[in-house]
Amino acid sequence: MIRVALSNDYEIALLGLAAMLAQHPDRVQIVDLTTETDMSHDPDLVLFDTFGRLPEEDAKLRQVIESNDAKVVVYSWDDYPEEAARRQGAAGYLSKSLSSADLVAGIVAIHEGRQPTAPTDDGDAELTWPGQVHGLSAREAEMLTFIVRGLRNEEIARRAYLSINTVKTYIRTAYRKIGVTNRAQAVAWGFRNGFGSTDETGV
């Protein structure tokens, strides 16, 4: 049984991830769901969900790695590249495209010092994120978190390894879905709807 801690800035994202892992109680035990950097229950492995994070110089990821003896594994979409995670000291990387079974298999493999195998099917629907109930996709919601944190489009594009046009497209569709027309309105909407991060290290 592998003792797993889940780390992210947003509690709603942690709950979705916990629901996925809870389907496999014979292989993993969730011992922490936290927005903090220090795990309090001595896990074997920390799964660091990158929702709302940017891969360039992620101070919180480094703090989680430095504050815990457990292996820290980054759990992310492709726009937070594996090489960026490993450059900052992560012991492994697992994609959010994985099903719950493949995610757990990946956790077991990394814990045992092996490379995870390729996924066998698409990801589960249990993943949750801020703004999901308002129709925002995970990528649109992440763009909104960066706006709430005060980043300009150019900085988001540079630090997230996305083209400026891709960033603008995500933002336009997010604005349309939440019924705002400018950045100030988007920031105000974000704070009213759970996009205020617990992280004090920035992005």
Side-chain angles (χ1 to χ4, degrees):
M1 179 74 69
I2 302 172
R3 293 166 52 84
V4 178
L6 308 180
S7 175
N8 183 262
D9 297 338
Y10 298 87
E11 290 182 1
I12 190 170
L14 290 173
L15 293 173
L17 182 52
M20 289 181 69
L21 297 182
Q23 298 177 40
H24 305 274
D26 56 325
R27 306 186 76 185
V28 295
Q29 177 188 6
I30 300 170
V31 296
D32 252 325
L33 278 80
T34 182
T35 58
E36 305 299 323
T37 57
D38 191 15
M39 309 301 134
S40 58
H41 293 93
D42 194 26
D44 300 314
L45 182 145
V46 178
L47 196 59
F48 183 83
D49 188 330
T50 64
F51 179 88
R53 312 293 310 169
L54 287 165
E56 184 183 272
E57 297 301 318
D58 191 337
K60 185 166 187 177
L61 173 58
R62 292 197 307 275
Q63 287 182 7
V64 170
I65 292 168
E66 292 167 1
S67 300
N68 298 278
D69 294 329
K71 291 181 177 179
V72 177
V73 176
V74 165
Y75 178 59
S76 185
W77 300 110
D78 293 341
D79 54 9
Y80 194 115
E82 180 173 0
E83 57 267 27
R86 291 191 179 277
R87 186 170 61 245
Q88 296 180 84
Y93 180 95
L94 293 168
S95 171
K96 289 189 177 184
S97 66
L98 295 171
S99 68
S100 62
D102 286 329
L103 174 60
V104 170
I107 288 171
V108 172
I110 293 171
H111 177 65
E112 294 177 349
R114 298 182 285 108
Q115 283 296 317
T117 57
T120 57
D121 51 23
D122 294 330
D124 294 79
E126 292 95 339
L127 284 176
T128 54
W129 52 85
Q132 188 177 26
V133 296
H134 299 279
L136 293 176
S137 71
R139 304 300 179 89
E140 292 160 358
E142 284 197 306
M143 293 302 112
L144 192 54
T145 66
F146 302 146
I147 289 171
V148 169
R149 291 183 179 186
L151 274 66
R152 307 300 301 173
N153 292 359
E154 294 77 9
E155 189 174 9
I156 295 171
R158 177 178 61 82
R159 294 174 63 182
Y161 302 103
L162 296 172
S163 73
I164 187 66
N165 287 335
T166 297
V167 170
K168 288 179 178 178
T169 297
Y170 282 137
I171 291 173
R172 278 197 303 269
T173 55
Y175 280 13
R176 185 170 62 250
K177 289 178 180 180
I178 64 176
V180 304
T181 58
N182 59 52
R183 232 172 179 81
Q185 292 175 352
V187 170
W189 187 95
F191 276 111
R192 290 196 306 270
N193 289 276
F195 283 79
S197 170
T198 61
D199 179 40
E200 297 180 353
T201 64
V203 288

